[in-house]
Amino acid sequence: MNNYIKTFTLILLFTLSSTAYKAQGFCTSGCNDNTYIDSTDPNTIEYDNLISVFHATIAKEKDGNFKIWGQNTSSTGSGDLLSPTVIGPGSGYANFNYVGTPLRVAAGSSSTSHQFALLTTDGLYVWGVNDILINSAITNFNAAFAKISINGKTDGLPAGVAPADVKMMFGSYRTLAIVTCSGEAWVLSFNGAKNGDGTAQNNANNVIWHRVKTDVAGNPNLENVVAMRGTPNALFALTSTGKLYTWGTLTYNNSDGATSRAYATEVSVPNGAVPKMIGMTQNVTGQSYYLLATNGKLYSMGDNSNKQLGDGTTLSKTVWVQPKNMEVQGSESVGILENIVWISPNEHSNYAGTAVINVLTHDNKQWGWGSNKGYTLGAPFDANYDPIYMPGRYNPDDLAIPDLLSDLEITDQVIAVETGGHATVNIKKCSKSFGYVGHLTNGSMGNGQDIDEIYVRYSYLTDELNICGTDLGPKIQNLKICTYQKGNLNTSIQEALPGEVEWHATNDPNSPILTDISTVASGTYYAFFSIASGKCREAGSTVTVSYYVPGSQAIDPCVCFNDAATGGTDNDTKLGITLLKRAGKTDSNWPMTRKSGHIALESNTKGFVVTRLTTAQLDVIKNAGNAVEGMMSYDTTVNCMKIYSEGDWKCFNTPSCP
């Protein structure tokens, strides 16, 4: 009877994955578009494609270049740049000379004094007013753009850390902090007693890096860090396991506020919250904390003297509270402000009365609250404000403010925002220029003017920028293909229907439209809304089609399969599970006869069953932030085996080798 029963053999390729460590640790390379309105994975969110301090801003563009403008930004460290200028020799600033490829930037300010840092593959370069970001003993009181050494290490980084190891570089007043790809947290500071390793703040400790440790018994190192933010007086960290830590002067923890902590102390997470982003802001020495959860709920805690917690009071809170929606908009009612996808508090500046935050919601709308000093929010008075819907917008009922030719309308879609000390910068759909509101001085608006004015509404009469992580036209995503494949541009569209989008080889809607978009080669392409769609055509979105780099993702989608009988005869399977009682028999050579597998499962009576979920159920897992690289399930809606990779569920594809 057994002679007529076909055997079932399953050969599996298993790849191990975890929520904490990815194939590249916590790092991403190039233009990281996990940011702003499209931010998702907490482990790799890019916080710093825009950095605004008091009167200056740095922007990372999609081509990898960093541009800078505003007060103290010139290569001399004292002059001002009136327009966005590439940090590099090709910008016309001969003193902006460095070795290597730019990787990260940071900045700190105290009122009108600013200092900046650039990390390249060669090391750390610093310029600007002394003693604002790092100690002048390190820069030898030199304000001009120059490479620094710290504790004898010529790249300026901690022992054992190379430039390519740096995942995040955060700056605030007298504070430079880095997170490594492996999850280490390091601090170089001479303010706020926040070294994080229990050491005192003195001349010796102010000029060396400190590895942050926790306050548990034995003070072990703080591990698995994916983000570190802070203020001049305290720091705040998020780990890949969803834990929060704080240390420094007058820090808060639930029911335990305004306490100085020499070591990183765990902060409780609100019930049910899965952390996505963290942030801080400060009024004088009062610390305020923000925690954005993956479900769009925002929590705040700490000092509230500028209404920066958004709960409608000025009372400090030692427990997490949520901001309130004080303005009724459309179908929304007064209550908790939710559905938030991005937060940007003022975190790089040291100046009294500037505790303020702007956020973006899932529908591309901006809210802001806290201090309006310098008119940072774009509100009409120098005062503290409860949450404002689309602050700095054109208001036809406000006849006291002259109309601006270029403005923010209530119907506009805001896709990025960065809060500074005296101004806020944002990016909206269809505008190649960035928006600016607040105090314009020393070139801080980047519009080529050296004047002193106040903008109480957003103006977009600025230079053009192509910020990494922003799609000015249709929402699209970059494509990765295998070397033996062609790309289909339609699959990159995440917004609108394919017929509403047209593709071009250049960033010009008047150039010839590409007709064959289903089999494109690697390269750069530009998407515009079509004329028929009736949507804006002023700005397009850039998509890059590139090849997968072997080993750059947890699951290699370019694995191909040779016929075991022809192309894979030398690839033995070493591990197997069989119900046919053949294992170990000298004459069966099993499972080695099952070629090209990692594990062989064999039966003539049993099938191999994996989890079975609908497309909707799989999306719930993804949207809740619970999906991890390499997770697998059978999709009963579309009838295919799916794997979670690069932010989405994808059907298995097993192409033959070319």
Side-chain angles (χ1 to χ4, degrees):
M1 192 69 180
N2 286 340
N3 293 334
Y4 298 98
I5 299 177
K6 293 184 178 180
T7 61
F8 163 77
T9 303
L10 176 64
I11 300 177
L12 296 176
L13 174 65
F14 279 101
T15 302
L16 298 180
S17 172
S18 77
T19 57
Y21 293 99
K22 298 180 182 298
Q24 295 174 288
F26 301 119
C27 278
T28 60
S29 58
C31 175
N32 181 3
D33 55 9
N34 180 24
T35 186
Y36 303 125
I37 202 75
D38 297 319
S39 56
T40 53
D41 183 358
N43 290 319
T44 59
I45 284 179
E46 177 57 70
Y47 288 66
D48 295 317
N49 285 339
L50 272 171
I51 299 174
S52 282
V53 278
F54 205 67
H55 292 146
T57 300
I58 309 177
K60 181 178 183 179
E61 295 202 290
K62 292 186 177 182
D63 61 5
N65 283 322
F66 292 98
K67 287 185 175 179
I68 189 170
W69 65 96
Q71 196 167 29
N72 308 137
T73 55
S74 75
S75 59
T76 64
S78 58
D80 308 328
L81 299 177
L82 306 184
S83 299
T85 304
V86 174
I87 303 175
S91 68
Y93 278 80
N95 291 333
F96 265 146
N97 288 316
Y98 54 79
V99 176
T101 302
L103 299 174
R104 310 284 174 192
V105 290
S109 67
S110 180
S111 184
T112 58
S113 298
H114 308 72
Q115 194 172 30
F116 311 92
L118 170 71
L119 177 66
T120 76
T121 50
D122 176 61
L124 197 56
Y125 295 77
V126 174
W127 72 108
V129 178
N130 280 296
D131 281 328
I132 297 300
L133 185 65
I134 66 173
N135 197 293
S136 57
I138 299 173
T139 61
N140 294 317
F141 297 93
N142 175 36
F145 186 91
K147 190 180 180 185
I148 63 170
S149 297
I150 295 179
N151 204 28
K153 197 159 183 279
T154 57
D155 62 9
L157 296 176
V161 177
D165 298 329
V166 177
K167 173 189 186 294
M168 176 179 289
M169 188 166 73
F170 170 78
S172 190
Y173 175 63
R174 296 188 170 183
T175 305
L176 190 62
I178 62 172
V179 174
T180 69
C181 298
S182 60
E184 299 174 3
W186 292 87
V187 177
L188 176 67
S189 175
F190 60 116
N191 196 75
K194 55 182 183 295
N195 293 335
D197 60 358
T199 59
Q201 193 172 289
N202 55 38
N203 289 339
N205 286 322
N206 290 348
V207 295
I208 61 174
W209 287 99
H210 298 266
R211 176 79 185 271
V212 179
K213 302 177 181 296
T214 71
D215 66 341
V216 302
N219 301 121
N221 292 329
L222 178 60
E223 304 280 6
N224 302 329
V225 178
V226 294
M228 184 161 44
R229 314 306 288 178
T231 67
N233 283 287
L235 288 166
F236 193 26
L238 169 65
T239 72
S240 62
T241 56
K243 291 186 176 182
L244 306 173
Y245 292 85
T246 189
W247 62 100
T249 301
L250 300 179
T251 61
Y252 282 77
N253 192 1
N254 276 17
S255 302
D256 179 18
T259 301
S260 295
R261 308 172 205 271
Y263 294 95
T265 304
E266 188 172 352
V267 178
S268 60
V269 177
N271 288 336
V274 178
K276 174 185 172 181
M277 287 184 74
I278 59 172
M280 290 187 73
T281 193
Q282 171 181 301
N283 179 24
V284 191
T285 57
Q287 306 304 308
S288 305
Y289 296 80
Y290 300 99
L291 166 63
L292 176 62
T294 55
N295 62 4
K297 294 183 178 181
L298 177 62
Y299 301 88
S300 54
M301 177 174 60
D303 180 70
N304 199 19
S305 53
N306 291 155
K307 290 191 172 184
Q308 63 266 37
L309 301 187
D311 67 341
T313 76
T314 57
L315 301 175
S316 296
K317 300 296 189 300
T318 57
V319 296
W320 292 110
V321 297
Q322 290 185 260
K324 293 183 178 179
N325 170 7
M326 303 290 186
E327 293 190 39
V328 178
Q329 301 297 331
S331 61
E332 295 183 14
S333 60
V334 175
I336 301 301
L337 176 58
E338 296 184 333
N339 298 319
I340 296 170
V341 295
W342 180 261
I343 62 173
S344 176
N346 172 29
E347 55 192 353
H348 307 291
S349 299
N350 181 48
Y351 193 69
T354 56
V356 58
I357 183 172
N358 284 276
V359 306
L360 299 178
T361 55
H362 72 98
D363 56 352
N364 295 29
K365 298 302 180 182
Q366 182 177 329
W367 289 77
W369 61 89
S371 170
N372 192 42
K373 187 176 286 292
Y375 296 86
T376 306
L377 285 174
F381 304 106
D382 183 352
N384 301 322
Y385 282 84
D386 295 321
I388 307 170
Y389 180 73
M390 295 291 279
R393 68 180 186 267
Y394 169 63
N395 184 355
D397 297 326
D398 192 347
L399 301 179
I401 302 175
D403 193 9
L404 298 175
L405 296 177
S406 184
D407 210 340
L408 179 67
E409 301 285 349
I410 200 168
T411 56
D412 284 333
Q413 297 184 60
V414 183
I415 55 178
V417 65
E418 168 68 7
T419 310
H422 250 198
T424 297
V425 174
N426 75 8
I427 308 292
K428 68 175 181 177
K429 280 275 191 183
C430 299
S431 175
K432 295 181 180 180
S433 302
F434 59 94
Y436 186 93
V437 72
H439 187 192
L440 164 59
T441 184
N442 298 89
S444 59
M445 188 172 169
N447 61 352
Q449 295 182 315
D450 185 12
I451 57 178
D452 194 328
E453 289 185 352
I454 293 293
Y455 278 72
V456 296
R457 288 206 301 269
Y458 278 95
S459 171
Y460 293 84
L461 300 176
T462 59
D463 273 14
E464 293 186 7
L465 284 179
N466 193 10
I467 303 294
C468 173
T470 61
D471 287 326
L472 303 179
K475 181 181 177 182
I476 56 178
Q477 63 181 355
N478 289 332
L479 296 182
K480 291 283 189 180
I481 58 175
C482 302
T483 55
Y484 52 82
Q485 292 177 327
K486 296 291 186 179
N488 183 350
L489 294 178
N490 274 332
T491 63
S492 76
I493 300 173
Q494 298 177 288
E495 175 185 64
L497 299 173
E500 294 182 321
V501 177
E502 62 186 36
W503 292 92
H504 298 256
T506 62
N507 195 14
D508 179 2
N510 297 314
S511 63
I513 299 175
L514 299 178
T515 55
D516 183 8
I517 59 174
S518 61
T519 56
V520 299
S522 62
T524 301
Y525 303 89
Y526 303 89
F528 291 84
F529 284 115
S530 64
I531 296 176
S533 72
K535 299 180 181 179
C536 68
R537 289 174 54 80
E538 289 82 2
S541 299
T542 306
V543 65
T544 301
V545 180
S546 59
Y547 296 126
Y548 283 105
V549 176
S552 63
Q553 54 278 323
I555 301 297
D556 187 351
C558 296
V559 170
C560 57
F561 299 87
N562 288 313
D563 189 317
T566 56
T569 55
D570 295 328
N571 301 318
D572 289 343
T573 299
K574 303 294 186 181
L575 177 64
I577 300 173
T578 178
L579 299 182
L580 303 183
K581 300 180 180 180
R582 296 194 298 187
K585 292 183 178 181
T586 57
D587 59 342
S588 71
N589 195 33
W590 192 91
M592 283 71 74
T593 54
R594 306 304 183 193
K595 304 299 182 181
S596 301
H598 281 205
I599 300 177
L601 304 180
E602 187 175 67
S603 173
N604 59 6
T605 60
K606 307 290 183 183
F608 178 70
V609 181
V610 299
T611 55
R612 298 165 59 83
L613 298 169
T614 65
T615 298
Q617 290 170 329
L618 291 171
D619 286 341
V620 168
I621 296 174
K622 178 181 72 172
N623 295 334
N626 296 326
V628 297
E629 289 285 315
M631 182 179 285
M632 295 182 292
S633 178
Y634 186 82
D635 188 327
T636 58
T637 303
V638 296
N639 297 324
C640 80
M641 186 69 179
K642 281 189 171 180
I643 187 166
Y644 187 80
S645 178
E646 295 188 324
D648 204 2
W649 290 102
K650 302 173 182 178
C651 288
F652 270 104
N653 181 24
T654 56
S656 60
C657 296

